[in-house]
Each structure stands twice: as structure tokens, then as C-alpha cells.
Amino acid sequence: KSVIGYLSESPEYAGVRNGLEGAISDGFVEVDTEGKFKFVHDKVREAAYNLIPDSDKKQFHYRLGKELHSYCDGKDVGDTIFLIASQINHGKEWILGDKDLSIAIAELNMKAGEKALDGCDHKTAYSYFGAALSLLPNDHWRSHYDLSLRLSFLMAGAAKSCCQYDEAEQLLRGISGRTRCFEDKLPSYFLLSQIFQAQGKVVDAYNTCSFVLLQLGETIPDSVTPEAAKTMVEDTLKMYEEIYDDDWLERKMEGNTLRTLIKIYNVMAFSSYFCKSYSMVVYFTCKAVQLSLRNGICEHTPLSFLQFTGNETNDDDAVLCYRIAKNAMSLQERFDMATQIPELYFNFYGRIAWRFEPFQAGIGKLRQGFEAGLSSGHADMGLHCAIQVIKTTILSGANLSSILKEIDYYLHLLKTY
């Protein structure tokens, strides 16, 4: 339903359609091809708006937003939620005077921010989450714990996607200091490790994950010998052959802690590549795969399998690893994994599939991974996809001049984002 439709149901704005018909007759407003009302010119809109005294404009927007909110609360209003939130936010001074209303409008802004995230508009989401946090009472962590936890985490995620890393880190450390149990801290520690990775602080990312594993009762070796790593790979491949079947595919991993654990292993495998030995990379990829094989699949299983197969360099296992990787990619259909596309495509098409599939097919997918990384707020992984595009394009025998143009294109987009 349109905004006019919602307002028409309100006693205060019941005559809005008649007013618009009059404006159309007078030549100030017209109806476009989509049936929407619009002013015939920006100057007309500006003149109409200036009829409202400056001292009344805040209240005008606030009353309009509040009226829309009262009729739309609890309904799926689509993109109209942005208009409602932006209008009612003009009345912050009145909202803060009513504790119940301030919580309701904070939740409205949170929903608007989540809607913006669905459309990959991270800056808009960041703005709405900030507005929501500003409406919470001083004791909100005590009086509205669940809302505070969710909203602070969403704000930190949006800040990270907007490259506001210091603010994101501050928010996450604030969450860690106020949560009631360690399990509530886990998503924040994971996001913090991603923030460190995005800045190239792989040692900090590794240490953050190490701390989490220790708190969960896991032991982390100081080092792993090449012989031990080889044995772990052999054991993991054997375990896969024994366990992977239709029954295992129907078995879902239970518990947030296990799912967090596999995410942490994935981060540590990536970080170890830059700050530890290759054997440590193998250790963490094997631990992640074995955890999933023992406990069932989750949305992080595909990435763990891809990291494992991408690091296996034994040619004798190449065909088996390619089959494992293909099976991992097929699991995308079972989960909402849109935000993982950059990592999945980087690992599969950039590190595994090129040995078995045409270069051009992989190049196209890696380009999609780059674009998905920028739109989802994971520009760092998008960069890795772009690097693999360049490498694979060179191997495919493409013209060097065209490759240079593509490099300039990637650099321009990365600088922009």
C-alpha cells in the first residue's frame, strides 16, 4: 500500500486524497506512469514546503511519521519503513520524553536498518542503527538487555562495513563488557576477528580467536609438524569417506557454540596462512571439517570444506578434494549464504576448480565474488577475488592491455568502497 493509502485511513489525514486531486486540478501535482503523485517541478515542491513555518517543520514531520507508525506498526510495509522512520526521527526531543515510545521508535529504526542491510545499503543502515541507539535510556543494558545486545551488534557490523573500524571495535568491546554470559559474547568476538582481518591485522585476529577457543575449553598447539599435519589430512579424508552420505546431509549441527567454533576455526585457518606455518593452516582446516563431520552440517560447513580442500597440495588426492569441494558448494542451497559468496567463490574458483574447469567459467564467478564482497561490506575478501581474477585471466592468455584496464577498474571500485 502507498503512503497516501496509509494516511487516508487516519482521521487527521483522511482528506489527503481530495487535497491531492485539488492540487492536480490546479496544475501543481501530477500522476506519473506508475500511478504515484509528484510535484510538477522542484520549485513547486520547495514553495509548498516553505508554507510550513520553520518553527513547525520538526513537529510536522514528527506528527506525520507518528501517524504512519500508528497505522503501520506490526505490518510489513516494505520500503515505506524508511519514510516512517526518517519522518518520526525529526521529533527526537518529544520521543525521549516518553519511555515506551522511545523503545518503540528505537525498534522501528532497528527494523529500518535491517531492511537497509537487506538491500546492501550499509551507510543507511548505519544511520538508522545510530538513531535507534540514541533513543535508548541510560540504563538500557539493564532494562532492555536483548534489544541492547542485538542493536549494538548490528551497529558494529554496519560500522565495519562502512570501514568505521575504530567505532566498530569500541562497540564490540562495549558488548563484551556488558553481556551476561560468554555465549552472548561469541558473535562479537567473531566480528572483531573479521574487523582485524579487514585491516590486515592477522595476528590480532588470530589472538582473538585463540582467546575464544581457550574459553571454550579447546587446546591450541604452539606448532604442528609437517608429519602431524599430513596425518591429520589423511585422517580427515578417511573420515569424510566413511561419514559423508545422505543421512549425514540431513543431520543439522545443534547449538550456537558449535557453529561459532567452526567459524572460529575458519578464521584461524585464514589468519594462520599469514602469521603461522602452513602446518597450522592444515591443523585448523582439519579441525573445522572434523567438527562438522562429527556433529552435522551448518551454514559454515561449506567454507570449512573449501578451505580444507584448497590447502591440500597432494596430487594423489586432487580428484577426491575436487569432489569434496563440489559437494560443499552444493550445500549453498540449504542455507542463506549470500554474505559468504566472496569467500566461497574465492576458495572454490580461485584455489580448486581451475585445475578441473574452464578458466573462463571461474573468472566469471570470481568477478561475481568481487562484486558481492563490495555490496555485502566484505571488500577485503572482494579484493582476494579480484586478485584471483587477474591471476586466472593471465593464465588464460588474455590480452595484457585488457588486464591492465580491469586492474584499474578494480582499484577504482576498491578505493570508492
Side-chain angles (χ1 to χ4, degrees):
K1 186 185 292 188
S2 67
V3 173
I4 301 301
Y6 287 119
L7 288 174
S8 298
E9 297 177 4
S10 162
E12 184 174 353
Y13 296 94
V16 67
R17 284 193 182 276
N18 291 334
L20 284 169
E21 293 298 335
I24 291 173
S25 298
D26 293 337
F28 298 124
V29 173
E30 61 185 5
V31 181
D32 64 18
T33 55
E34 296 179 358
K36 296 179 180 179
F37 297 97
K38 68 174 187 178
F39 286 101
V40 295
H41 195 279
D42 287 344
K43 291 294 184 182
V44 176
R45 179 187 57 78
E46 185 180 335
Y49 186 63
N50 285 335
L51 292 174
I52 306 170
D54 289 343
S55 58
D56 295 340
K57 284 178 180 175
K58 272 190 179 182
Q59 193 170 59
F60 172 83
H61 289 291
Y62 169 63
R63 287 173 56 193
L64 178 62
K66 191 176 180 183
E67 197 69 31
L68 284 168
H69 180 252
S70 66
Y71 275 85
C72 301
D73 192 26
K75 300 175 184 176
D76 181 5
V77 296
D79 290 347
T80 303
I81 193 170
F82 299 132
L83 184 142
I84 298 172
S86 62
Q87 292 295 308
I88 206 168
N89 285 345
H90 282 273
K92 184 177 179 179
E93 58 194 274
W94 296 290
I95 296 170
L96 289 173
D98 184 331
K99 288 186 178 181
D100 291 336
L101 180 63
S102 65
I103 296 300
I105 304 308
E107 291 175 339
L108 170 69
N109 276 278
M110 183 173 72
K111 290 176 183 177
E114 290 174 315
K115 181 72 173 177
L117 284 183
D118 290 341
C120 298
D121 188 348
H122 304 284
K123 288 185 178 180
T124 297
Y126 176 81
S127 174
Y128 282 121
F129 292 144
L133 280 172
S134 72
L135 293 172
L136 297 182
N138 293 331
D139 67 340
H140 61 90
W141 277 101
R142 181 187 62 79
S143 58
H144 298 87
Y145 177 80
D146 291 338
L147 175 61
S148 300
L149 180 62
R150 178 164 179 75
L151 187 51
S152 297
F153 183 77
L154 287 168
M155 180 67 175
K160 181 251 182 187
S161 297
C162 295
C163 299
Q164 303 291 331
Y165 297 125
D166 290 342
E167 182 179 358
E169 183 177 345
Q170 184 178 2
L171 282 163
L172 292 172
R173 296 198 183 283
I175 291 173
S176 298
R178 294 181 175 90
T179 45
R180 295 172 179 172
C181 62
F182 188 72
E183 187 173 351
D184 285 350
K185 301 178 192 287
L186 290 177
S188 296
Y189 281 126
F190 176 71
L191 182 56
L192 184 60
S193 69
Q194 287 189 313
I195 289 170
F196 287 142
Q197 276 192 347
Q199 298 176 88
K201 299 178 179 179
V202 290
V203 174
D204 290 336
Y206 184 91
N207 290 339
T208 299
C209 292
S210 297
F211 170 78
V212 173
L213 289 181
L214 291 172
Q215 296 301 307
L216 293 174
E218 298 291 314
T219 57
I220 307 167
D222 293 330
S223 63
V224 175
T225 64
E227 293 76 20
K230 182 180 179 182
T231 300
M232 284 193 75
V233 170
E234 292 171 352
D235 291 343
T236 303
L237 289 173
K238 182 181 178 181
M239 189 177 179
Y240 179 89
E241 294 279 68
E242 292 173 349
I243 294 177
Y244 187 91
D245 57 20
D246 291 340
D247 290 337
W248 179 78
L249 287 170
E250 295 303 320
R251 186 181 173 194
K252 297 294 192 296
M253 185 178 288
E254 301 292 337
N256 291 329
T257 300
L258 284 176
R259 288 197 291 274
T260 299
L261 192 55
I262 197 171
K263 286 197 299 183
I264 293 295
Y265 280 141
N266 288 341
V267 172
M268 294 193 78
F270 185 86
S271 299
S272 295
Y273 181 83
F274 298 98
C275 67
K276 296 290 180 178
S277 66
Y278 170 75
S279 295
M280 288 296 286
V281 177
V282 172
Y283 172 83
F284 288 116
T285 58
C286 288
K287 291 285 285 186
V289 171
Q290 290 176 13
L291 180 68
S292 194
L293 288 172
R294 290 194 187 98
N295 297 280
I297 65 173
C298 69
E299 64 273 26
H300 310 295
T301 297
L303 179 59
S304 65
F305 279 28
L306 291 174
Q307 285 190 326
F308 168 72
T309 53
N311 284 300
E312 175 50 29
T313 58
N314 188 345
D315 288 339
D316 293 338
D317 298 323
V319 174
L320 173 58
C321 286
Y322 176 61
R323 175 160 59 85
I324 293 172
K326 288 282 285 186
N327 290 337
M329 291 297 284
S330 70
L331 293 176
Q332 291 182 79
E333 302 170 3
R334 297 170 178 257
F335 304 99
D336 179 11
M337 302 180 64
T339 59
Q340 294 189 54
I341 289 295
E343 289 177 292
L344 296 175
Y345 283 13
F346 164 71
N347 280 281
F348 182 73
Y349 295 105
R351 304 178 68 200
I352 303 163
W354 65 271
R355 300 178 68 178
F356 301 91
E357 299 181 6
F359 281 150
Q360 289 304 321
I363 291 171
K365 290 294 186 179
L366 286 166
R367 286 193 180 110
Q368 290 180 26
F370 170 74
E371 292 165 359
L374 297 187
S375 63
S376 64
H378 293 85
D380 54 323
M381 191 51 61
L383 171 61
H384 288 293
C385 287
I387 292 171
Q388 290 303 122
V389 169
I390 295 164
K391 288 182 178 179
T392 311
T393 304
I394 292 172
L395 290 173
S396 69
N399 180 275
L400 291 178
S401 296
S402 65
I403 295 175
L404 285 172
K405 289 181 180 179
E406 188 157 21
I407 291 172
D408 288 339
Y409 168 72
Y410 290 139
L411 289 174
H412 170 72
L413 287 182
L414 285 166
K415 183 178 180 180
T416 301
Y417 278 82

